[in-house]
Amino acid sequence: LEAAAEWDFGGVPVRSGLGRLTFVGGEGDVAVMPRPSQLVACKPGQDDPRITKLETSAAHVTADAANDRVALWSSSRSQLVEADGTTRDLAVAALSALTFCQSGDLAVGTQSGRLKRLTASGEETFDLRVGAAVLAVAQSPVDGHLLVLCADGSLTKVNQAGEIVASHEFSRSVVAQPDVVGDEGAMEGAAAPQSDELFWEKFGKTFQLRATAQGPVLFHGMGRILRLDDQLEVTAEAHLGQELTDVQPLGDGLLATEAQGTAVVLDGQLKKTHRIPLGSRMARVGAGSDGPVIFDADGDCVLLRAADGTVTAKAAVYPEPRALAVSADGARGAVLLDTRLLLFDLR
């Protein structure tokens, strides 16, 4: 691997705990938030990054995969940053989740359990009550419906007209029960919750949502993964017995990253196929032209892996990476160092 582009942030290190990194749009642009009130946009072919000073601190960065813009948001305030650096406030209070739709609209969830859809200009198209505080919002790549995960354990599917077309309660379901009885030794003895309600109170907030081409996937930190159909019914499940930090689509299956630094590859039915020793929990998956690829880091090296974990290329970097990102098509990988950003061609 050789860096195809490099940008310097003027010798000012990325603040510890930040360094949020994401690809923006379809041209390979990269956005970095090195400080709570600063957004840096790096564009291939341009030597100098564009720095946008924000009026307020932001906790989250969400990129529009189709258009050259980024949403910077926290519970108290949210802004859109356009390609030219102009900013615009979003009039949504107590924001708790946000995603860009394929049409360019914004879907946002609130702490009061409401789902709102906004046009690119900020006009509200619907405002719907979906449950308790919204933990995550994602758009299904299959039918374009919005998937909304709430803190009460409910998952709701909403169509483009703002109508609920399916819903499912997971707080009293198979998510809890195998953990309660100590499935694969994950929760045994006095530490095991004695009821579904206690389980949900203790572990429910680690529940996360992924929208994949094979249907919605839910997982929580205690290691259970559920694949759902279009009616949000469970079609496959796995319990890995290890704490999970992330789950990403890998071809027709999934790559489940464990807190101990390894990853498990699951097929479309969530059956374990093999285990990969990762160098970092930051590892990201890209589509790739010849199959999925894994962009990883191990100490002062970045690694390109095939789906079976084999290292196909690597490059030495210094110091150790702060964050990694892969473009949606798997063609580019970005590496954030303390004061620099490197862009690699992964093809």
Side-chain angles (χ1 to χ4, degrees):
L1 285 174
E2 292 186 6
E6 178 178 341
W7 294 272
D8 190 275
F9 300 151
V12 180
V14 173
R15 183 172 296 181
S16 178
L18 283 178
R20 291 167 178 81
L21 177 68
T22 183
F23 278 86
V24 185
E27 302 298 323
D29 296 4
V30 184
V32 185
M33 191 171 72
R35 280 158 214 90
S37 58
Q38 188 181 78
L39 180 71
V40 178
C42 301
K43 192 176 189 66
Q46 296 183 6
D47 294 337
D48 296 325
R50 188 193 71 237
I51 299 176
T52 300
K53 177 69 175 177
L54 307 175
E55 296 179 4
T56 185
S57 298
H60 306 280
V61 178
T62 301
D64 188 340
N67 302 290
D68 213 359
R69 57 183 182 157
V70 176
L72 303 169
W73 57 279
S74 62
S75 60
S76 58
R77 186 175 181 182
S78 54
Q79 293 177 298
L80 277 181
V81 182
E82 304 289 347
D84 60 1
T86 59
T87 61
R88 176 165 53 86
D89 283 351
L90 296 174
V92 180
L95 192 63
S96 60
L98 180 150
T99 192
F100 284 98
C101 302
Q102 298 161 2
S103 64
D105 288 358
L106 273 168
V108 299
T110 71
Q111 295 174 8
S112 59
R114 306 199 72 85
L115 174 70
K116 301 184 180 188
R117 185 160 181 159
L118 310 175
T119 65
S121 61
E123 298 177 2
E124 188 176 288
T125 60
F126 67 73
D127 181 350
L128 177 68
R129 173 79 177 183
V130 288
V134 176
L135 297 179
V137 180
Q139 187 176 33
S140 168
V142 179
D143 54 22
H145 292 167
L146 294 171
L147 302 165
V148 188
L149 178 65
C150 292
D152 58 4
S154 64
L155 182 65
T156 303
K157 178 184 278 193
V158 179
N159 65 19
Q160 297 186 27
E163 302 166 331
I164 295 177
V165 295
S167 62
H168 196 116
E169 288 280 347
F170 287 95
S171 58
R172 294 175 177 83
S173 71
V174 293
V175 176
Q177 290 299 339
D179 288 325
V180 172
V181 299
D183 185 39
E184 294 195 17
M187 286 295 297
E188 294 180 334
Q194 300 303 306
S195 70
D196 289 348
E197 291 83 358
L198 291 175
F199 173 88
W200 191 257
E201 180 65 25
K202 188 170 184 179
F203 298 112
K205 292 182 180 179
T206 66
F207 221 18
Q208 297 189 53
L209 169 68
R210 298 287 184 269
T212 76
Q214 287 72 42
V217 170
L218 292 177
F219 73 97
H220 65 77
M222 291 306 297
R224 179 155 294 276
I225 306 174
L226 305 176
R227 187 182 288 284
L228 313 175
D229 61 17
D230 58 359
Q231 293 301 309
L232 308 183
E233 297 296 331
V234 177
T235 61
E237 58 181 292
H239 185 65
L240 304 183
Q242 296 288 340
E243 181 184 354
L244 298 180
T245 60
D246 198 7
V247 170
Q248 303 173 71
L250 184 70
D252 293 334
L254 299 171
L255 181 77
T257 305
E258 299 173 336
Q260 63 186 19
T262 58
V264 177
V265 176
L266 306 172
D267 65 17
Q269 297 303 312
L270 301 189
K271 302 298 183 183
K272 301 177 189 177
T273 62
H274 58 281
R275 187 178 293 272
I276 296 175
L278 294 177
S280 168
R281 287 184 291 176
M282 298 183 295
R284 311 309 299 165
V285 176
S289 56
D290 299 320
V293 296
I294 303 169
F295 194 45
D296 193 11
D298 189 358
D300 57 359
C301 282
V302 290
L303 312 171
L304 182 63
R305 299 180 185 270
D308 63 0
T310 304
V311 176
T312 59
K314 63 181 180 180
V317 295
Y318 183 83
E320 294 186 9
R322 298 282 187 95
L324 302 176
V326 175
S327 61
D329 59 3
R332 297 180 179 90
V335 181
L336 180 64
L337 306 178
D338 59 346
T339 63
R340 295 177 297 146
L341 177 70
L342 305 180
L343 186 66
F344 290 89
D345 186 351
L346 301 184
R347 289 182 173 174

